[in-house]
Amino acid sequence: MAERVQQPPAKRLCCRPGYGTACRQGQRPGGTVCGGGASGASGSGQGGPSRTHSPESLLDIAARRVAEKWPFQRVEERFERIPEPVQRRIVYWSFPRSEREICMYSSFNTGAEESAATAAEGSDETRLPFRRGIALLESGCVDNVLQVGFHLSGTVTEPATPSEPEVVCSVAISFDRCKITSVTCGCGNKDIFYCAHVVALSLYRVRRPEQVKLHLPISETLFQMNRDQLQKFVQYLITVHHTEVLPTAQKLADEILSQNSEINQVHGAPDPTAGASVDDENCWHLDEEQVQEQVKLFLSQGGYHGSGKQLNLLFSKVREMLKMRDSNGARMLTLITEQFMADPRLALWRQQGTTMTDKYRQLWDELGALWMCIVLNPHCKAEQKAAWLRQLKKWNGVDVCPWEDGNHGNELPNLTNALPQGAHGNQDSGTRPHRTVFTRAIEACDLHWQDSHLQHIISDDLYTNYCYHDNTENSLFDSRGWPLWHEHVPTACARVDALRSHGYPREALRLAIAIVNTLRRQQQKQLELFRNHKKDLLHKGMTSITNLEGWVGHPLDPIGTLFSTLMETGRSDEESSQGGFLDFSGMMSSSKHADLHLFPSARRFLEEGESYLALAVETALMGLGQQRIMPDGLYAQEKVCRNEEHLIAKLQEVELDDSLIKIFRKQAVFLLEGGPYSGLGEIIYRESVPMHTFAKYLFTSLLPHDAELAYKIALRAMRLPVLESTAPSGDMSRPHHIVSVVPNRYPRWFTLSHIESQQCELASTMLTAAKGDARKLETVLESIQKNIHSSSHIFKLAQDAFKIATLMDSLPDITLLKVSLELGLQVMRMTLSTLNWRRREMVRWLVTCATEVGVYALDSIMQSWFTLFTPTEATSIVATTVMSNSTIVRLHLDCHQQENLANSARTLALQCAMKDPQNCALSALTLCEKDHIAFETAYQIVLDAATTGMSYTQLFTIARYMEHRGYPMRAYKLATLAMAHLNLSYNQDTHPAINDVLWACALSHSLGKNELAAIIPLVVKSVKCATVLSDILRRCTLTTPGMVALHSRRNSGKLMSLDKAPLRQLLDATIGAYINTTHSRLTHISPRHYSEFIEFLSKARETFLMAHDGHIQFTQFIDNLKQIYKGKKKLMMLVRERFG
């Protein structure tokens, strides 16, 4: 059974006729009971099948106009007697006739927008309340539809699904003056929008009005009943619904029977079907509580689960309402703003000094822009604007209110002086409060629309003055007599946005055209002014910033507004030839909506043959090319980049024809010659926003049509003066900073890395286009070398050029390869003395690039290696790669060429070994193996450096290499030199050099007694570790010197005596090392190391016993320990147990 729902409270009181006209507000005025049969409810509803071509009756025309504009109470007060047929027609026409508003209140978007927005979501579109409502209606799920006065009720059946049973929902709708004023549904829907059941019932009434049973308000019916009929009516009503209404009925009866009850103090009684009172606000039903709850929920999700998208959709809904001139637009935005201001994260971020996320910041921007639109409503009443101003000032005064520039740590001046009619334009920057997201809306409250010139512009397509000859800067008309509008550009464009947003597209278009014509005139005059003073400015080498705030990236997005306004009209021009526009019921839209799309008369103020599309494109080009200062703060700078890229993306959607290319050429010339007004002028202010992204778009657009102009634009835009080492002279508004290109990077420019990457992209685009044109490639190369300061970006360009030059489907472009090599050489020079983690990759790539260029390039980089590489890089990477077999094969070298290249590599290796023997000597020896003289030279370099600059590790490594190459005596020599640098203390028994020492001793032993005798004193001097010495001693006693290596089996030769030199010296040193190590270890020994210490003494005893009197020496040694360390009783007990 359907859930019973409580009806909305009545809006006014109705009473029996006869009380006279002096009754208080809420009473029904006098009159007689309406009698006679009423005309049927069939007829003239939009979408009704009975619609014919016969003219409407005067009754229907009048009733429809009254139903749209007058609250029903005013109708009753105005006329003493209203015939029942008239009442019926008024009630009939009071229900909304357009589905557009119903769709607006039951889905995020309308019409084609909705389809486009939800196409990616697939089946989700059918789940939107509006679409589901249509489906329920068309499948016959709406029943029991009844209209009583201004109240519509019915039941909507949700069909059963595999998981849910069938549900019948009772729906009740109140309406007034063609607007739904309240809805209730048994489904318990909790959402901002109407549920599908409300949609289904509403559309039933719109599309099938003749099938709806229509009654006058219930109070009218009751007036016609006598006492008996009324009693019977009430008793039957109570009987049918006794379980629900009996308590209420008894309570009301008690109050009515009480003389002094409140209910008896007022004439009449509530009637929920009687329509609106005079004081009721006429607006569509909006569930304020649900708006607040939904926004609060989305904000609490912090951008996750698509909450940012949902909030943007709510903002779109506000704009949709404004366009429909629906007062709920401002009401809904107020509710959203209150929740935004109550977001607890604002206080947290302010307290922690952290910035809000970028997406959240963009939501605040949209909030501020919407308030700007609302307060600029051209037909807003003064009291309404005053109320908004109070509310905006209240929010503006809250401590956590976000600032306009998104940066709580920066004191910013008001760069705009934006609103000439405002009160905040000339405040001192020291006392001026921070500009919040609401500041511009507050200032806009001072703007008005009463200026007669402005009124003529927006209301008259024929507003011209061909006799106007005032050619001053602020002329009201241009030389053609076309109207101009001189106002701070972002403010003027905010007016255009407000007109569009409030459903005045024709007026918005007229003003937009006037603004663009003004900008074009100013551009021409600025060009003439610059040409007259060009010599002076170029001689001084400086320029001044004329635009402290840029139009692209501005909080009010002036260029985006003009572009969108003109593009929408331009597209409508194209679409209009294909027929009219369909509304949701499949019918042709009204002429009111058709006006939104086609304004032929506005073409009066376009150039001959010019279209709105062409004007939009030219406006975007002017805005993007404007010279403007880089704003302060990370967010503001990111916004400049984001808006520029967004506008260019819109331009890229436009297919360029000959007329548009003509505009591109015209604007390109303006920009190149525009002086301080153009970001592409000959000289620019150091902190101007760079033009790389814009120039790349211009370059690719113009290249097929005018290559010379395209290159002029791109080459001019390559500059990045903020990274130059000195600033231009002159009086600037900001202090100069001498910039060190590498360490400082000008910290005020937070987006510098992005800007440099865009500069790199522009250069790469030019390189690609210039392939095959040696002259242009040379010009582009010079520009890169002059303007790009980042080694990583130059390296990327070098790689890009290499890839383009060596494409698989064509022969290598040798000129582009040389450009690639030249850029690579520049990178090598830039990074030679700085740390760069990609340096090794860069060196390898350069050798590859030089190989592709040819043998002369390889020879060249080896000849000048010291300006490009470190000695280690030159030997280990460059020379080694050059002499590899793969390089020889790749270059198809003959023997003579191979030898020349090898000579260069050997020369390089020897030079590097001289400069850095520690790191390059081994590589030099390896590279010089096949040339005796070079090899001997390298060996001598090693010997010369061995006593001064080389470490024992390096010398041991080279010594082992020598032995491996068959030079044992040279290896021995180097090993003795290495031993002189070594020092192993008593506790370094795991030192990495131990293996080298053992190898050196083994080498000496294998060479003969003399060599062993020579190295042992060096070992004794350098090694103090007892275990290492005992190991050497043991190995020396196993074999005969000069016959085999130490690690082989015993041979039959005569072993060396331990009683004679050199082994006697080694034995004594080993015993002495054990004694010293023992005392050192006992100084800090702990009980957990006792057993390890006993094992150490056992090894010592083995060495002692190698001497002829070793037993006596060891016994004396142990006795000595017992005496000296007798305090360590437990340890000495363990010593006695093991050694007696």
Side-chain angles (χ1 to χ4, degrees):
M1 181 173 177
E3 178 185 345
R4 302 293 305 175
V5 293
Q6 183 179 354
Q7 300 295 344
K11 293 185 176 179
R12 65 187 183 93
L13 304 176
C14 300
C15 60
R16 270 185 176 279
Y19 285 104
T21 56
C23 56
R24 74 187 71 176
Q25 184 178 0
Q27 294 176 323
R28 189 180 179 86
T32 58
V33 177
C34 299
S39 63
S42 64
S44 319
Q46 182 183 1
S50 61
R51 184 166 57 176
T52 66
H53 293 289
S54 58
E56 284 185 285
S57 67
L58 186 59
L59 170 60
D60 269 321
I61 294 172
R64 187 169 69 245
R65 296 299 293 169
V66 168
E68 289 173 356
K69 301 296 182 184
W70 284 25
F72 197 64
Q73 183 184 2
R74 178 170 293 171
V75 178
E76 293 175 321
E77 290 174 349
R78 176 70 176 80
F79 304 101
E80 288 191 2
R81 179 179 180 277
I82 307 171
E84 186 173 321
V86 175
Q87 290 192 53
R88 283 184 176 276
R89 299 317 290 162
I90 292 174
V91 168
Y92 173 85
W93 287 113
S94 290
F95 196 84
R97 295 183 291 282
S98 168
E99 296 183 8
R100 185 177 180 84
E101 285 86 353
I102 297 169
C103 178
M104 183 170 73
Y105 280 93
S106 56
S107 55
F108 269 120
N109 301 92
T110 57
E113 293 177 4
E114 178 189 327
S115 300
T118 56
E121 300 176 15
S123 61
D124 284 354
E125 182 179 347
T126 60
R127 291 163 48 199
L128 291 170
F130 185 74
R131 298 296 181 196
R132 285 182 53 229
I134 291 176
L136 289 169
L137 172 64
E138 292 175 348
S139 56
C141 296
V142 182
D143 201 5
N144 303 321
V145 182
L146 175 68
Q147 181 177 340
V148 180
F150 297 86
H151 185 273
L152 183 71
S153 62
T155 58
V156 180
T157 304
E158 279 277 8
T161 65
S163 58
E164 297 288 340
E166 180 180 279
V167 178
V168 179
C169 300
S170 296
V171 183
I173 298 173
S174 295
F175 51 91
D176 168 41
R177 284 167 277 180
C178 299
K179 293 176 182 174
I180 292 174
T181 55
S182 71
V183 299
T184 53
C185 180
C187 70
N189 173 63
K190 293 288 184 183
D191 199 354
I192 295 174
F193 302 115
Y194 302 168
C195 67
H197 314 112
V198 170
V199 172
L201 180 61
S202 303
L203 295 184
Y204 187 99
R205 173 62 177 79
V206 173
R207 295 184 181 184
R208 306 172 189 174
E210 74 287 346
Q211 297 178 22
V212 178
K213 194 171 184 181
L214 187 146
H215 299 272
L216 294 180
I218 193 68
S219 53
E220 287 289 337
T221 305
L222 296 177
F223 292 156
Q224 299 175 35
M225 296 183 185
N226 58 32
R227 187 195 176 288
D228 292 339
Q229 290 173 320
L230 283 170
Q231 184 165 356
K232 183 178 287 188
F233 171 78
V234 173
Q235 288 183 216
Y236 266 101
L237 181 64
I238 294 172
T239 301
V240 174
H241 301 288
H242 68 277
T243 57
E244 297 167 25
V245 304
L246 188 57
T248 305
Q250 186 60 57
K251 181 186 176 198
L252 289 174
D254 292 342
E255 290 187 13
I256 289 172
L257 291 173
S258 173
Q259 290 293 330
N260 298 322
S261 65
E262 186 178 346
I263 202 171
N264 285 322
Q265 304 303 310
V266 181
H267 293 292
D271 180 1
T273 68
S277 68
V278 175
D279 298 326
D280 284 342
E281 186 179 359
N282 181 225
C283 60
W284 285 77
H285 171 70
L286 179 68
D287 192 332
E288 295 191 1
E289 185 180 347
Q290 278 305 307
V291 172
Q292 292 172 316
E293 287 300 317
Q294 291 285 320
V295 175
K296 188 175 182 180
L297 174 64
F298 293 149
L299 288 173
S300 68
Q301 291 172 346
Y304 300 102
H305 313 295
S307 58
K309 178 184 176 184
Q310 297 296 318
L311 288 167
N312 274 316
L313 288 173
L314 283 180
F315 288 143
S316 298
K317 181 60 64 180
V318 171
R319 285 196 178 273
E320 191 182 348
M321 290 175 173
L322 295 181
K323 186 168 280 191
M324 300 286 287
R325 302 176 195 173
D326 186 335
S327 61
N328 278 339
R331 188 173 154 211
M332 187 169 178
L333 187 62
T334 302
L335 298 170
I336 293 172
T337 307
E338 286 173 347
Q339 292 305 310
F340 266 71
M341 290 298 296
D343 190 343
R345 291 178 297 170
L346 290 176
L348 186 64
W349 285 329
R350 175 67 66 90
Q351 184 181 359
Q352 295 175 343
T354 55
T355 56
M356 61 181 71
T357 62
D358 197 47
K359 287 185 178 179
Y360 188 53
R361 175 69 238 191
Q362 289 175 44
L363 293 173
W364 275 102
D365 281 353
E366 178 66 5
L367 200 65
L370 281 170
W371 275 114
M372 188 84 174
C373 284
I374 284 173
V375 300
L376 278 177
N377 182 351
H379 291 141
C380 174
K381 295 178 181 177
E383 58 269 21
Q384 181 63 76
K385 184 180 283 191
W388 286 334
L389 179 60
R390 286 193 299 272
Q391 183 63 69
L392 287 166
K393 285 184 174 179
K394 179 182 174 184
W395 290 327
N396 190 70
V398 177
D399 183 53
V400 296
C401 184
W403 297 353
E404 184 179 71
D405 71 333
N407 181 10
H408 284 305
N410 233 337
E411 294 279 345
L412 286 183
N414 174 0
L415 296 178
T416 64
N417 289 327
L419 308 171
Q421 300 160 316
H424 306 284
N426 298 314
Q427 290 181 349
D428 181 76
S429 61
T431 60
R432 185 185 297 115
H434 292 296
R435 297 181 63 81
T436 74
V437 291
F438 301 116
T439 302
R440 291 183 187 272
I442 291 171
E443 292 171 339
C445 289
D446 294 326
L447 294 173
H448 56 75
W449 296 84
Q450 276 69 54
D451 183 277
S452 60
H453 184 56
L454 175 63
Q455 286 290 321
H456 283 301
I457 289 174
I458 64 176
S459 60
D460 187 358
D461 285 323
L462 305 177
Y463 181 47
T464 55
N465 189 338
Y466 298 114
C467 301
Y468 192 87
H469 298 297
D470 181 7
N471 197 27
T472 61
E473 185 177 346
N474 294 318
S475 303
L476 297 181
F477 300 89
D478 63 15
S479 57
R480 299 165 297 189
W482 295 358
L484 304 173
W485 179 243
H486 296 278
E487 189 176 26
H488 174 252
V489 173
T491 307
C493 294
R495 292 184 186 274
V496 175
D497 192 28
L499 288 168
R500 283 174 67 216
S501 298
H502 289 283
Y504 302 101
R506 183 191 293 271
E507 290 81 357
L509 178 64
R510 291 172 183 142
L511 182 56
I513 292 173
I515 293 170
V516 175
N517 283 331
T518 307
L519 293 179
R520 292 202 288 195
R521 180 175 180 269
Q522 287 175 349
Q523 188 184 49
Q524 181 63 47
K525 286 193 168 295
Q526 288 167 352
L527 179 61
E528 293 169 3
L529 180 66
F530 175 64
R531 282 174 176 168
N532 293 334
H533 299 86
K534 183 174 180 180
K535 288 184 179 179
D536 293 339
L537 284 173
L538 292 178
H539 177 70
K540 293 177 183 177
M542 50 90 53
T543 184
S544 60
I545 274 288
T546 57
N547 303 299
L548 288 178
E549 58 170 3
W551 299 334
V552 175
H554 192 279
L556 299 179
D557 191 20
I559 299 298
T561 298
L562 293 175
F563 184 78
S564 300
T565 303
L566 294 166
M567 283 294 289
E568 285 173 7
T569 312
R571 287 198 183 101
S572 300
D573 277 356
E574 295 171 6
E575 294 167 359
S576 63
S577 61
Q578 301 172 9
F581 295 84
L582 297 179
D583 67 7
F584 295 105
S585 59
M587 313 305 294
M588 293 298 292
S589 61
S590 66
S591 59
K592 171 186 171 185
H593 289 135
D595 282 347
L596 304 181
H597 302 290
L598 189 60
F599 313 121
S601 53
R603 288 187 177 277
R604 173 182 296 275
F605 302 122
L606 299 182
E607 300 279 2
E608 184 178 351
E610 188 175 42
S611 65
Y612 295 124
L613 178 64
L615 195 61
V617 169
E618 184 169 12
T619 303
L621 297 181
M622 283 193 290
L624 289 164
Q626 177 205 29
Q627 185 180 174
R628 54 205 184 265
I629 197 167
M630 178 67 78
D632 287 291
L634 170 62
Y635 179 73
Q637 291 175 17
E638 286 180 337
K639 191 172 183 180
V640 167
C641 297
R642 186 167 54 246
N643 280 78
E644 180 182 43
E645 289 167 2
H646 177 73
L647 194 53
I648 290 173
K650 292 288 185 186
L651 282 171
Q652 287 171 333
E653 296 173 4
V654 178
E655 187 174 346
L656 301 182
D657 56 19
D658 291 342
S659 63
L660 291 179
I661 291 300
K662 185 178 178 183
I663 289 171
F664 269 75
R665 281 197 174 106
K666 168 190 163 186
Q667 281 301 319
V669 172
F670 266 126
L671 292 170
L672 287 171
E673 300 179 2
Y677 308 96
S678 165
L680 291 165
E682 287 186 57
I683 48 176
I684 56 170
Y685 180 49
R686 185 177 184 186
E687 293 186 43
S688 292
V689 173
M691 296 280 117
H692 307 128
T693 309
F694 176 44
K696 179 186 170 186
Y697 168 70
L698 284 178
F699 178 80
T700 53
S701 301
L702 283 169
L703 189 64
H705 310 280
D706 192 337
E708 287 301 318
L709 185 58
Y711 276 100
K712 280 182 183 178
I713 286 283
L715 290 168
R716 178 72 63 80
M718 276 292 291
R719 60 198 171 183
L720 188 54
V722 77
L723 289 184
E724 300 299 331
S725 56
T726 57
S729 60
D731 181 22
M732 302 296 179
S733 61
R734 295 181 181 275
H736 300 315
H737 298 271
I738 303 302
V739 181
S740 171
V741 172
V742 177
N744 192 3
R745 309 295 286 172
Y746 211 70
R748 212 188 123 260
W749 282 36
F750 300 99
T751 54
L752 187 57
S753 61
H754 174 76
I755 289 167
E756 287 185 287
S757 69
Q758 292 300 305
Q759 182 189 36
C760 179
E761 286 294 321
L762 173 61
S764 181
T765 305
M766 283 196 287
L767 284 175
T768 305
K771 182 179 180 180
D773 188 328
R775 184 180 64 83
K776 283 191 171 62
L777 281 173
E778 184 180 353
T779 307
V780 175
L781 174 62
E782 289 174 1
S783 179
I784 291 170
Q785 292 175 323
K786 177 184 176 183
N787 295 300
I788 297 185
H789 304 278
S790 164
S791 60
S792 60
H793 286 122
I794 297 176
F795 182 51
K796 181 185 181 301
L797 288 171
Q799 290 178 305
D800 288 349
F802 183 79
K803 289 174 186 174
I804 299 163
T806 56
L807 291 174
M808 295 296 291
D809 58 349
S810 61
L811 292 172
D813 185 318
I814 192 64
T815 309
L816 194 51
L817 271 176
K818 288 179 180 178
V819 168
S820 175
L821 179 63
E822 190 58 43
L823 291 173
L825 294 174
Q826 184 177 347
V827 172
M828 290 297 102
R829 288 188 286 267
M830 290 175 72
T831 58
L832 179 60
S833 58
T834 59
L835 295 174
N836 191 306
W837 64 274
R838 298 185 67 189
R839 174 75 185 178
R840 193 170 183 85
E841 175 196 352
M842 292 172 174
V843 174
R844 290 187 183 281
W845 177 87
L846 184 73
V847 177
T848 303
C849 181
T851 304
E852 288 296 321
V853 173
V855 65
Y856 69 91
L858 287 174
D859 192 60
S860 175
I861 65 173
M862 286 193 290
Q863 295 289 342
S864 57
W865 70 267
F866 47 88
T867 65
L868 305 171
F869 314 108
T870 64
T872 306
E873 292 167 346
T875 52
S876 64
I877 301 176
V878 180
T880 304
T881 306
V882 166
M883 294 187 69
S884 66
N885 287 331
S886 60
T887 302
I888 294 169
V889 172
R890 181 77 183 87
L891 291 172
H892 308 293
L893 301 180
D894 58 32
C895 293
H896 179 67
Q897 289 174 318
Q898 288 183 39
E899 187 56 34
N900 286 341
L901 204 58
N903 283 334
S904 295
R906 287 191 285 266
T907 302
L908 175 150
L910 293 174
Q911 290 172 347
C912 292
M914 288 286 291
K915 191 173 183 66
D916 185 7
Q918 295 93 332
N919 297 307
C920 300
L922 180 58
S923 296
L925 287 166
T926 305
L927 291 166
C928 296
E929 282 178 354
K930 294 182 180 179
D931 186 295
H932 177 71
I933 296 174
F935 187 81
E936 290 300 321
T937 305
Y939 176 64
Q940 190 58 48
I941 291 171
V942 174
L943 292 179
D944 293 343
T947 56
T948 54
M950 298 186 74
S951 68
Y952 62 82
T953 304
Q954 295 162 339
L955 289 170
F956 274 132
T957 303
I958 297 172
R960 287 188 179 235
Y961 161 80
M962 283 294 185
E963 186 197 28
H964 180 68
R965 290 299 178 194
Y967 300 102
M969 288 307 297
R970 290 185 175 184
Y972 167 75
K973 173 68 174 173
L974 291 170
T976 59
L977 292 172
M979 288 298 299
H981 293 286
L982 181 65
N983 185 20
L984 280 180
S985 62
Y986 76 92
N987 59 351
Q988 291 183 296
D989 50 0
T990 57
H991 195 281
I994 291 173
N995 284 332
D996 289 323
V997 173
L998 294 175
W999 169 82
C1001 291
L1003 175 65
S1004 304
H1005 194 278
S1006 68
L1007 291 174
K1009 183 177 179 180
N1010 292 336
E1011 286 77 10
L1012 183 61
I1015 204 169
I1016 281 179
L1018 295 175
V1019 172
V1020 169
K1021 182 179 179 183
S1022 301
V1023 181
K1024 305 302 180 188
C1025 182
T1027 54
V1028 176
L1029 289 172
S1030 64
D1031 194 8
I1032 296 170
L1033 182 63
R1034 182 182 57 80
R1035 296 183 184 212
C1036 288
T1037 59
L1038 294 178
T1039 57
T1040 303
M1043 295 190 68
V1044 294
L1046 289 178
H1047 49 74
S1048 298
R1049 287 190 208 167
R1050 274 182 187 274
N1051 57 31
S1052 57
K1054 186 178 179 182
L1055 298 176
M1056 292 182 70
S1057 171
L1058 289 171
D1059 292 332
K1060 297 178 182 178
L1063 295 189
R1064 179 68 197 186
Q1065 185 182 3
L1066 181 58
L1067 176 60
D1068 290 344
T1070 306
I1071 291 172
Y1074 269 116
I1075 293 171
N1076 291 334
T1077 302
T1078 300
H1079 287 296
S1080 296
R1081 293 180 69 167
L1082 284 171
T1083 306
H1084 302 293
I1085 196 167
S1086 62
R1088 60 193 177 92
H1089 294 130
Y1090 283 174
S1091 58
E1092 182 187 333
F1093 177 74
I1094 296 299
E1095 293 304 316
F1096 174 77
L1097 285 180
S1098 298
K1099 290 181 180 178
R1101 182 169 60 177
E1102 293 174 6
T1103 302
F1104 272 82
L1105 293 178
M1106 295 176 76
H1108 73 279
D1109 58 347
H1111 178 72
I1112 298 170
Q1113 286 188 53
F1114 186 72
T1115 303
Q1116 290 175 348
F1117 174 52
I1118 293 297
D1119 290 341
N1120 226 2
L1121 291 180
K1122 294 174 188 175
Q1123 184 63 33
I1124 296 172
Y1125 301 102
K1126 58 186 176 182
K1128 301 182 184 294
K1129 295 179 181 179
K1130 185 176 180 182
L1131 177 59
M1132 291 304 107
M1133 182 182 71
L1134 293 173
V1135 169
R1136 287 191 197 94
E1137 288 177 0
R1138 175 68 69 91
F1139 306 109

